[in-house]
Amino acid sequence: MELKRKLEILADAAKYDASCASSGGEKRNSADGKGLGSITGAGICHSYAPDGRCISLLKVLLTNACAFDCLYCVNRASSNVPRARFTVEEIVKLTLDFYKRNYIEGLFLSSGIIRSADYTMEQIVRVARSLREEHHFRGYIHLKTIPDADEKLIEQAGRYADRMSINIELPREQSLQKLAPEKNVRAIRAAMGKLRLKIEEAKAEKKAPCFSPAGQGTQMIIGADATNDRQILETSTNLYASYRLKRVYYSAFSPIPDASRSLPLQAPPLVREHRLYQADWLVRFYGFNVDEIASGNDGMLPLDIDPKLAWALANRDRFPLDINRASREELLRVPGLGVRSVDRILSSRRFRTIRADDLKRLHVSPRKVLPFLALADHTPSIRLIDADNLKSYFVPQPKQLALALSRG
């Protein structure tokens, strides 16, 4: 099979993996005239998949011929899709060629299970070792880890990779048992725990060999089972706390050909994936807990407004807040205020009383925050805050689509 055809098949097979971000990597470059590549971002060409995901890395599978038969996976053993497999040398050459053309900033490599977990992991390590040791590649490398692989192989992989990840696959253990019986959530979590220990050991000892300096991440498929958003966020919170993950990625389930009857016929709306990322951010950086932002009886986040605005509309008795007196924790809960804008407000009010005209200077949208904030020259109307139609103030009104009629 031609290399181009292999690339078409294996890059397409990898598009469902959303965890391709390169943030947090160790800064390296070849400015000293030695080595090849850089991870500092200069000269990087970004491109995007049709669904909006960043594919600035060469995101590819070693092979899509997998021994496992996970029902939600297009590459499962029983799937009727074209199969291909790269050799180690082919992936190394593609990575170097694409990098020199400024198409990518690094490599994201995953694989179906070939023969065994150890054999597959050994092939992945060979790619990374060749890039680092033979070609002195200093770009970003993200390796997917095979949970059941030998610990020594995972340790070798961590020396070459900037980030490693193990997909938790589904939010609930019962769902994984039903849809992917060959995978074991306890083995996945045990592998995550070992990665955490090795990452922390490498950071604690200055002379210890480098090990996945950008940490580890994971991914959950959303909408393949009946798990609601509150359960998904609870699982994420547990994963962040237990394994100190850099990110949990949410990937909306995509219907696949010849799918099992256990799977839904339609994909969930992509906006659900977006709302989960917003809620995930609120829990990690804004002091919210899961029960506050997914408090409905069905445990689902609203799709028409972001979760922070939804919380504010459900807790109107907490507003208006005095922008000149409120604490940082209180200001972080105001719709329209982010971490940076709150820090600007706190810094600014040390020297002057903040007025409505100051909001734009502080990079804050007056329209979003004025219903919730009291300023030196502005007090929002209680009638507005309590109004039944306050939500419509923030939601764009639907527009009648114009018909493009051509004149005959």
Side-chain angles (χ1 to χ4, degrees):
M1 184 183 291
E2 291 183 358
L3 188 61
K4 182 182 176 184
R5 179 58 180 154
K6 287 186 182 179
L7 184 60
E8 288 175 352
I9 294 172
L10 295 172
D12 185 69
K15 68 184 179 183
Y16 299 100
D17 206 318
S19 55
C20 61
S22 61
S23 59
E26 181 186 5
K27 291 185 177 180
R28 294 187 299 268
N29 61 57
S30 51
D32 58 0
K34 299 178 181 178
L36 170 71
S38 169
I39 199 171
T40 55
I44 301 304
C45 178
H46 292 273
S47 57
Y48 294 87
D51 59 2
R53 292 191 176 98
C54 174
I55 52 170
S56 57
L57 308 174
L58 172 57
K59 191 165 69 172
V60 71
L61 298 185
L62 186 65
T63 178
N64 66 339
C66 187
F68 286 4
D69 203 33
C70 309
L71 297 184
Y72 51 79
C73 182
V74 71
N75 301 315
R76 67 190 187 279
S78 60
S79 179
N80 184 25
V81 296
R83 305 288 183 177
R85 177 180 170 180
F86 281 126
T87 65
V88 169
E89 292 73 21
E90 285 173 335
I91 289 190
V92 170
K93 183 177 185 305
L94 277 173
T95 304
L96 297 176
D97 287 350
F98 280 17
Y99 195 91
K100 290 174 182 176
R101 288 176 170 82
N102 205 26
Y103 291 165
I104 60 169
E105 61 176 312
L107 172 67
F108 175 92
L109 183 60
S110 183
S111 179
I113 304 298
I114 321 164
R115 300 184 193 173
S116 67
D118 283 350
Y119 181 80
T120 309
M121 197 69 216
E122 185 182 337
Q123 297 293 299
I124 291 174
V125 170
R126 281 185 59 199
V127 172
R129 181 191 296 129
S130 177
L131 283 169
R132 292 289 194 227
E133 295 187 351
E134 296 173 20
H135 300 279
H136 306 288
F137 180 70
R138 299 184 180 180
Y140 180 82
I141 296 180
H142 183 154
L143 299 180
K144 268 287 157 61
T145 306
I146 311 300
D148 295 327
D150 188 275
E151 195 169 337
K152 291 182 179 177
L153 289 169
I154 293 178
E155 191 169 335
Q156 290 176 30
R159 294 178 190 169
Y160 303 120
D162 291 276
R163 177 171 291 181
M164 299 176 70
S165 56
I166 305 170
N167 285 352
I168 196 74
E169 304 286 2
L170 294 168
R172 294 188 302 170
E173 184 176 357
Q174 303 92 313
S175 301
L176 194 66
Q177 289 173 347
K178 179 181 178 183
L179 301 180
E182 292 159 299
K183 292 190 174 178
N184 184 331
V185 72
R186 294 181 182 177
I188 292 171
R189 285 180 171 266
M192 285 181 172
K194 290 176 183 176
L195 278 186
R196 174 190 167 176
L197 288 177
K198 291 186 180 300
I199 291 168
E200 291 180 350
E201 286 173 1
K203 288 182 177 177
E205 296 290 336
K206 290 185 178 179
K207 294 184 179 179
C210 179
F211 188 92
S212 188
Q216 63 168 321
T218 192
Q219 173 175 306
M220 272 190 280
I221 300 170
I222 305 305
D225 63 354
T227 310
N228 62 38
D229 293 341
R230 181 165 53 227
Q231 293 167 322
I232 291 168
L233 292 169
E234 287 171 347
T235 299
S236 298
T237 303
N238 177 273
L239 290 171
Y240 281 122
S242 301
Y243 309 108
R244 296 190 181 176
L245 302 182
K246 285 290 183 180
R247 289 289 300 274
V248 175
Y249 292 87
Y250 306 100
S251 178
F253 168 71
S254 297
I256 53 180
D258 304 321
S260 163
R261 291 182 179 179
S262 302
L263 295 171
L265 296 175
Q266 291 186 328
L270 271 180
V271 70
R272 183 183 176 195
E273 184 182 289
H274 179 59
R275 297 298 182 217
L276 281 167
Y277 278 117
Q278 290 178 319
D280 180 292
W281 207 256
L282 291 180
V283 173
R284 294 166 63 202
F285 300 109
Y286 286 74
F288 286 85
N289 63 56
V290 173
D291 289 337
E292 287 180 299
I293 50 181
S295 56
N297 293 330
D298 60 357
M300 300 297 285
L301 298 168
L303 298 180
D304 55 343
I305 55 176
D306 70 78
K308 192 178 183 183
L309 176 59
W311 175 86
L313 293 176
N315 294 273
R316 302 183 197 193
D317 57 314
R318 299 202 183 196
F319 301 102
L321 281 177
D322 186 339
I323 195 172
N324 291 294
R325 295 177 180 275
S327 67
R328 185 174 192 275
E329 291 70 24
E330 290 174 321
L331 290 173
L332 283 173
R333 289 177 172 248
V334 176
L337 293 185
V339 172
R340 288 185 180 179
S341 54
V342 167
D343 289 340
R344 289 191 197 104
I345 289 169
L346 294 175
S347 176
S348 180
R349 76 184 192 186
R350 293 169 56 195
F351 305 102
R352 57 182 292 173
T353 301
I354 298 176
R355 308 175 75 85
D357 289 344
D358 295 323
L359 292 178
K360 288 187 177 178
R361 180 178 58 79
L362 295 169
H363 305 287
V364 173
S365 167
R367 176 176 173 76
K368 292 182 179 178
V369 301
L370 284 180
F372 300 104
L373 286 178
L375 297 94
D377 58 345
H378 168 77
T379 301
S381 165
I382 298 299
R383 289 179 60 190
L384 174 63
I385 295 178
D386 291 338
D388 293 336
N389 62 347
L390 179 58
K391 180 178 173 181
S392 63
Y393 175 84
F394 300 99
V395 179
Q397 297 300 308
K399 295 181 180 178
Q400 177 67 48
L401 295 176
L403 295 176
L405 299 176
S406 59
R407 295 182 177 179

